[in-house]
Amino acid sequence: NAGVTQTPKFQVLKTGQSMTLQCAQDMNHEYMSWYRQDPGMGLRLIHYSVGAGITDQGEVPNGYNVSRSTTEDFPLRLLSAAPSQTSVYFCASSMTSGGFYEQYFGPGTRLTVT
Amino acid sequence: AQSVTQLDSHVSVSEGTPVLLRCNYSSSYSPSLFWYVQHPNKGLQLLLKYTSAATLVKGINGFEAEFKKSETSFHLTKPSAHMSDAAEYFCVVSTGGGNKLTFGTGTQLKVEL
């Protein structure tokens, strides 16, 4: 099993550009989520999904969109990048409810917006 | 509502000495609590979790944590630090098995020779 994979590893965007961060898992997990990690702030939940076709907002959803058309994939879209979105982004998955089960994290995408 | 406070942003210990990383939580209902570790430029890995079973939880690499409801604490300990333990550690709370996990701000552990 590859676990949770994320692409790209690094990305530089100009303000106003859009892009999609890819996330895939091969463990047949129902629950998937996106976090951003900023210095001194821990990880903050952006969006999450409890199954294909179902998504919901987390703590910091503004400026991001998600969709979940398959169990395996959970892409994160930045609609119009802003410097405040410079961060490290982690995708995670778990068996079902995110609150009881171990989260499996991808290696992260380091995004810089200039 | 739920929140978690990691009381130390940096902890430095000598190799072979005990490690104590402190975490306090706030939760309206019965919490699930986790400790994750992040090595430099890596994703997070689960160390241990508490989900209302035994209050003393043993994890990987010799770490353990004790859930103390009266003190709303879930401190992480290890009897003897190893150089490979140097990393950032996150305390995480979830309420009632819900889908939203709240992370602490992290504690950077430094291990010196």
Side-chain angles (χ1 to χ4, degrees), chain A residues 31 35 37 40-43 45 48 50 57 90 97-103 105-107 110, chain B residues 32 34 36 38 41-44 46 49 51 88 90 94 96-101 103-105:
Chain A
Y31 180 88
Y35 295 88
Q37 183 179 28
M41 301 188 75
L43 275 73
L45 182 64
Y48 66 95
V50 299
Q57 295 181 349
F90 288 99
S97 164
F100 280 137
Y101 296 98
E102 174 180 359
Q103 300 283 309
F105 284 84
R110 190 172 295 272
Chain B
S32 295
F34 307 79
Y36 282 83
Q38 185 181 30
N41 300 313
K42 300 286 189 185
L44 281 74
L46 180 69
K49 67 178 180 180
T51 54
E88 190 159 21
F90 293 94
S94 171
N99 290 306
K100 296 185 180 180
L101 283 77
F103 283 72
T105 53

Side-chain angles (χ1 to χ4, degrees), chain A residues 12-109:
Chain A
V12 178
L13 290 178
K14 294 187 186 304
T15 297
Q17 287 184 317
S18 62
M19 79 159 294
T20 299
L21 307 185
Q22 300 292 345
C23 174
Q25 53 90 10
D26 61 359
M27 297 173 281
N28 202 32
H29 284 169
E30 291 295 324
Y31 180 88
M32 296 185 74
S33 55
W34 277 101
Y35 295 88
R36 59 177 290 172
Q37 183 179 28
D38 302 294
M41 301 188 75
L43 275 73
R44 292 180 292 167
L45 182 64
I46 304 172
H47 286 285
Y48 66 95
S49 168
V50 299
I54 306 169
T55 64
D56 204 348
Q57 295 181 349
E59 181 185 355
V60 288
N62 292 340
Y64 307 95
N65 270 359
V66 292
S67 60
R68 183 99 179 266
S69 56
T70 66
T71 299
E72 295 78 19
D73 299 299
F74 190 45
L76 178 73
R77 296 183 191 84
L78 279 70
L79 309 172
S80 176
S84 61
Q85 294 179 304
T86 293
S87 188
V88 182
Y89 291 85
F90 288 99
C91 179
S93 73
S94 67
M95 285 176 57
T96 53
S97 164
F100 280 137
Y101 296 98
E102 174 180 359
Q103 300 283 309
Y104 291 82
F105 284 84
T109 294

Side-chain angles (χ1 to χ4, degrees), chain B residues 43-92:
Chain B
L44 281 74
Q45 179 187 18
L46 180 69
L47 275 180
L48 49 80
K49 67 178 180 180
Y50 166 79
T51 54
S52 75
T55 57
L56 182 62
V57 182
K58 294 188 184 299
I60 62 172
N61 300 334
F63 284 93
E64 63 181 39
E66 187 172 7
F67 173 71
K68 292 187 176 180
K69 185 176 181 179
S70 61
E71 299 176 9
T72 60
S73 69
F74 190 58
H75 301 335
L76 181 70
T77 61
K78 183 174 180 177
S80 176
H82 190 272
M83 295 296 290
S84 60
D85 295 328
E88 190 159 21
Y89 292 78
F90 293 94
C91 183
V92 184

